[in-house]
Amino acid sequence: RSGLRTLVLSTDAAHSLADAYGATVGPEPTPIADRLWVQQVDAQLRFEQSWAAIQGYLMAVLDVAGVDPVAAEELTVIPGAEEVLALLELRLQARSGHYDVIVVDCAPTAETLRLLALPEALGWYMTRVFPVERRVVRALKPVLTRAAGVPMPEDTVFDAVERLHRELDEVRDLLVGEDSSVRLVLTPESVVLAEARRSYTTLSLFGYTVDGVVANRVFPRAEGDPWRDGWVAAQDAVLAQVDQSFAGLPVWRSDYQASEPVGVDALTQLAQDVYDHGDPLAVPAGPRPLRITRTDGGSLLRLSLPNVASPDVDLARNGDDLVLTVGAYRRLLTLPTGLSRHRIAGARVDQGELQVRFEERAP
């Protein structure tokens, strides 16, 4: 409605955009209003395109091991990989130049959060292990095949891994770029808030900028209804915690509607109410999650880790990598060349920010 060519794209296997817009939506961008397109990505198709060569090799290995073909096909599918590989569609649409804004509706699962780290982890493997492994297989392939009786990967498999890494790396560059951000949506319930707080921390750990929070299905006040009064009081208590948990971020509220907002007009009215006729696409304020600044005699690395204290963080140095562990999540952060020659002089967590001091090594 503001004049921007907009694509709303769902990577969730349980698509709901067609229901929300009250329109027929397919695997390709479907125009449903002026300057508005909606797309429900065919995750299975993207999976087959990006994973077929790799899956074929893995199935051949399992076949030699005597695994049933149907079971082998299931075993060669990474849980949640379809949703992540569906993000490759985002790369294609962003590169097409057909749209000014792309809104991505992702699956609300912790598995998706973990797999958002896949491009970076795969990058570490590709630069350190993959070249050596490829050379070894080429040199010893005939011997290994005869000795082990297991088929060695062909160049097509290595090429598929390299292509997948390259494409996922481009997706990550898009998602952590200055023009991208994540908006969390929650309902005012204690369990949901706890999950949203963890998501906020994890997204920040991997360099994704969270630009705000939408509190959805907030009960409006009404006099003389004890049942609703109870819900309002319970939600008010959680909403106060939401403001504290996401201090510094805008928190928008969406009142529980009398009926489901279905269709473009209903969703437009909902958006106007939530954003109070403001700009929902305003550039996120504040610094990026990861920053490196020069200091006298060294550098300071700052990484936003909201809702985290020093005891929650484990920090280690492994060559050119900084190994960060927060709860169940670990990030291998490859240091820039300028920092890899420095030593860690100290680290602390200060008001939700990890600060690591680097000093130049003595000659």
Side-chain angles (χ1 to χ4, degrees):
R1 293 287 174 98
S2 63
L4 299 175
R5 296 169 302 167
T6 303
L7 171 66
V8 183
L9 180 151
S10 171
T11 62
D12 190 349
H15 296 300
S16 59
L17 289 184
D19 299 324
Y21 282 97
T24 301
V25 177
E28 299 297 329
T30 303
I32 62 172
D34 187 27
R35 296 183 297 275
L36 176 63
W37 290 260
V38 176
Q39 178 181 8
Q40 296 183 156
V41 177
D42 186 342
Q44 180 62 33
L45 174 62
R46 298 303 173 200
F47 180 84
E48 292 171 357
Q49 292 174 339
S50 302
W51 192 252
I54 304 169
Q55 186 181 38
Y57 165 68
L58 294 175
M59 290 182 65
V61 173
L62 292 175
D63 180 61
V64 172
V67 178
D68 178 76
V70 175
E73 186 172 1
E74 294 296 323
L75 290 171
T76 54
V77 176
I78 301 174
E82 290 185 4
E83 289 82 354
V84 172
L85 293 176
L87 289 175
L88 296 178
E89 182 69 20
L90 168 64
R91 166 183 167 272
L92 294 177
Q93 299 300 350
R95 293 177 61 181
S96 73
H98 295 159
Y99 310 102
D100 304 307
V101 178
I102 300 179
V103 180
V104 184
D105 177 29
C106 294
T109 63
E111 187 70 25
T112 297
L113 284 177
R114 283 194 292 272
L115 288 171
L116 282 175
L118 179 60
E120 192 169 270
L122 188 56
W124 182 91
Y125 170 81
M126 294 294 292
T127 56
R128 288 164 174 77
V129 179
F130 191 80
V132 176
E133 183 178 278
R134 187 165 191 168
R135 288 197 300 270
V136 169
V137 168
R138 279 179 173 172
L140 302 179
K141 182 177 177 180
V143 177
L144 291 173
T145 301
R146 287 196 300 269
V150 176
M152 292 295 107
E154 301 287 345
D155 277 347
T156 53
V157 176
F158 286 107
D159 292 341
V161 174
E162 287 178 331
R163 184 177 64 254
L164 177 60
H165 165 248
R166 186 170 59 251
E167 293 176 347
L168 285 176
D169 215 29
E170 290 182 26
V171 170
R172 176 175 170 79
D173 289 342
L174 278 173
L175 296 178
V176 301
E178 294 185 357
D179 295 328
S180 300
S181 57
V182 179
R183 191 158 301 171
L184 297 174
V185 181
L186 56 83
T187 52
E189 302 167 69
S190 298
V191 173
V192 179
L193 172 58
E195 180 64 25
R197 284 166 53 94
R198 287 190 290 268
S199 298
Y200 185 24
T201 300
T202 306
L203 288 164
S204 300
L205 173 65
F206 289 106
Y208 297 94
T209 297
V210 176
D211 67 5
V213 179
V214 177
N216 193 28
R217 294 181 174 177
V218 178
F219 275 100
R221 296 185 180 278
E223 299 297 332
D225 187 342
W227 182 85
R228 184 185 292 188
D229 288 344
W231 267 108
V232 169
Q235 289 191 339
D236 281 348
V238 176
L239 288 169
Q241 296 177 38
V242 170
D243 292 334
Q244 295 171 359
S245 300
F246 303 99
L249 294 179
V251 177
W252 298 280
R253 300 188 182 190
S254 171
D255 285 345
Y256 215 130
Q257 305 293 306
S259 61
E260 290 183 77
V262 175
V264 174
D265 292 336
L267 293 175
T268 300
Q269 184 60 53
L270 176 66
Q272 291 174 345
D273 293 341
V274 170
Y275 295 107
D276 195 22
H277 297 272
D279 182 9
L281 299 174
V283 177
R288 306 296 296 176
L290 177 64
R291 292 164 291 147
I292 300 174
T293 55
R294 294 288 299 175
T295 61
D296 293 337
S299 299
L300 181 65
L301 182 148
R302 299 170 180 264
L303 177 64
S304 176
L305 289 178
N307 306 313
V308 167
S310 292
D312 303 323
V313 181
D314 184 66
L315 179 67
R317 177 78 178 268
N318 182 18
D320 294 342
D321 297 322
L322 200 61
V323 184
L324 299 173
T325 304
V326 180
Y329 296 95
R330 173 172 294 174
R331 181 182 184 186
L332 288 175
L333 179 61
T334 300
L335 297 173
T337 304
L339 285 185
S340 62
R341 295 190 298 267
H342 290 48
R343 69 177 185 88
I344 296 179
R348 66 172 183 169
V349 176
D350 182 30
Q351 297 182 349
E353 181 182 72
L354 172 65
Q355 300 176 0
V356 185
R357 291 188 296 110
F358 291 86
E359 291 182 353
E360 295 181 9
R361 300 179 188 274

